Amino acid sequence: MSAETSPKHYVKIWAILVVLLILSVLGPMLGIKLVTLLTAFGIAIVKATMVANHFMHLNIEKKYISYLLIGMVLMVFLFVGGTSPDVLMPEGQHWEKQVIEQPVELDHGGHE
Amino acid sequence: MHQPIATTRSATGIPTGRLAVWWVIASEIVIFGGLLGSYVMYRLLHDAWSIEAANTHTLAGATNTFVLLTSSLFVVLGHHAAEHGDGKKAFRYLWLTILGGFIFLIIKSIEWTGEIHHGFVMTKSLFWAFYYTAAGLHALHVIAGMVIMAIISFDTIKNKNLHRVELIGIYWHFVDIVWIFLFPLLYIAK
């Protein structure tokens, strides 16, 4: 039995994932934007990579599966990158936004 | 006994059944990626969404992340048991994973009930439309995974088609990964 596919190894990976989850919740409590980005989103990337490599066994799967999945992620970046100017900019070369979206109202009735 | 092609053929170096699951996941990346990418674009456009996001329940989201991570551990342990020919143990782990899915859905139901009760319904604003669409689509995938796992488990306990435990496991881990990204987007970035 390979060390990377033993129950002990899986429990170790799970424990690391739980510690990372706790860090990703505590980090943003400091209220520093950079720390929030690193702890929330940076840790999410680390956690996802760990699940993919150690639980889905991508690290020992045929390489072309990784290329297939990374290719799909790049395609999403291409789609989002291509449409983002239309969403984020108020006007372009031959167009301008006709509808101005209203800001949301403050709501103090939330439950956390 | 006749074996299905998905079990016996591996023209690409990977059993066809597993290759099919990878293709499903590849298509799911585009579905969830498009949804989350759109959310991020609008989130960058509307600073005020942080006020809306402040109404999501971080503890519920974090608990659900823990539940899904733990259920991922159970299903990979089930896969390990199946690889060693222990169908009964794999069956138990599959049902522990299904239990994880149930707990996830119960927490989500309680959370949504509270939010709807406070007036945060899908039509309130674009933020809540994204919130319910993304979390709802994810929850549908959780339900689908639970149903497939339950069906597979009845063969598993008879030591039949044990390779399917790995196939549903790969899918379940992907559902876990989607939640890993939904959690900071919907619950942390306030």
Side-chain angles (χ1 to χ4, degrees):
Chain A
M1 186 196 319
S2 142
E4 288 209 347
T5 55
S6 68
K8 203 175 165 187
H9 174 72
Y10 295 135
V11 173
K12 193 176 108 187
I13 295 296
W14 171 81
I16 296 170
L17 288 167
V18 172
V19 171
L20 288 175
L21 165 65
I22 294 166
L23 287 179
S24 69
V25 174
L26 294 181
M29 286 180 181
L30 295 174
I32 305 164
K33 206 168 185 177
L34 184 66
V35 176
T36 301
L37 282 174
L38 283 176
T39 52
F41 297 103
I43 285 178
I45 293 168
V46 174
K47 278 195 293 182
T49 309
M50 286 181 76
V51 171
N53 277 335
H54 298 280
F55 286 176
M56 295 168 99
H57 301 116
L58 258 184
N59 54 349
I60 52 173
E61 181 60 285
K62 292 268 180 201
K63 276 280 168 249
Y64 72 84
I65 296 297
S66 295
Y67 301 146
L68 167 72
L69 302 182
I70 291 167
M72 292 297 143
V73 173
L74 292 177
M75 200 183 283
V76 170
F77 276 105
L78 182 68
F79 289 156
V80 172
T83 52
S84 62
D86 289 0
V87 176
L88 296 173
M89 292 166 68
E91 60 182 17
Q93 259 185 325
H94 302 292
W95 59 272
E96 66 178 86
K97 271 189 188 166
Q98 298 295 314
V99 179
I100 305 297
E101 287 158 41
Q102 298 300 314
V104 292
E105 287 173 15
L106 281 167
D107 195 318
H108 301 292
H111 57 288
E112 192 176 284
Chain B
M1 192 177 78
H2 174 72
Q3 287 281 314
I5 285 174
T7 314
T8 53
R9 196 178 70 171
S10 64
T12 55
I14 295 176
T16 307
R18 196 164 84 215
L19 183 63
V21 175
W22 285 124
W23 272 110
V24 168
I25 288 170
S27 64
E28 295 276 5
I29 287 175
V30 182
I31 294 169
F32 279 105
L35 187 61
L36 297 187
S38 306
Y39 173 81
V40 170
M41 279 194 284
Y42 279 93
R43 180 73 177 76
L44 290 172
L45 188 65
H46 301 285
D47 270 350
W49 276 23
S50 57
I51 298 162
E52 298 274 27
N55 293 296
T56 59
H57 206 296
T58 309
L59 182 63
T63 309
N64 263 346
T65 311
F66 174 76
V67 169
L68 276 191
L69 287 176
T70 308
S71 72
S72 260
L73 171 69
F74 287 146
V75 82
V76 80
L77 290 173
H79 169 209
H80 181 267
E83 275 203 329
H84 288 78
D86 193 343
K88 279 186 183 162
K89 200 174 187 182
F91 175 86
R92 279 199 300 274
Y93 277 124
L94 282 180
W95 277 92
L96 280 172
T97 310
I98 293 170
L99 177 67
F102 263 121
I103 295 171
F104 177 90
L105 292 173
I106 289 167
I107 293 172
K108 190 127 281 297
S109 307
I110 296 168
E111 186 191 354
W112 280 18
T113 305
E115 279 154 1
I116 291 166
H117 181 73
H118 282 88
F120 303 119
V121 292
M122 199 175 189
T123 50
K124 183 177 183 291
S125 70
L126 202 50
F127 169 81
W128 291 102
F130 265 116
Y131 172 82
Y132 284 108
T133 304
L137 185 64
H138 177 265
L140 283 177
H141 279 74
V142 170
I143 294 167
M146 289 163 66
V147 171
I148 296 165
M149 228 175 274
I151 294 168
I152 285 173
S153 73
F154 296 115
D155 262 1
T156 305
I157 199 167
K158 295 177 209 156
N159 266 1
K160 278 166 60 183
N161 294 315
L162 289 178
H163 67 285
R164 289 179 182 166
V165 178
E166 180 187 17
L167 307 189
I168 189 60
I170 292 173
Y171 169 86
W172 192 260
H173 299 311
F174 174 75
V175 172
D176 186 12
I177 287 176
V178 171
W179 185 258
I180 283 172
F181 285 107
L182 279 178
F183 174 58
L185 282 173
L186 300 177
Y187 296 86
I188 300 280
K190 296 183 175 178

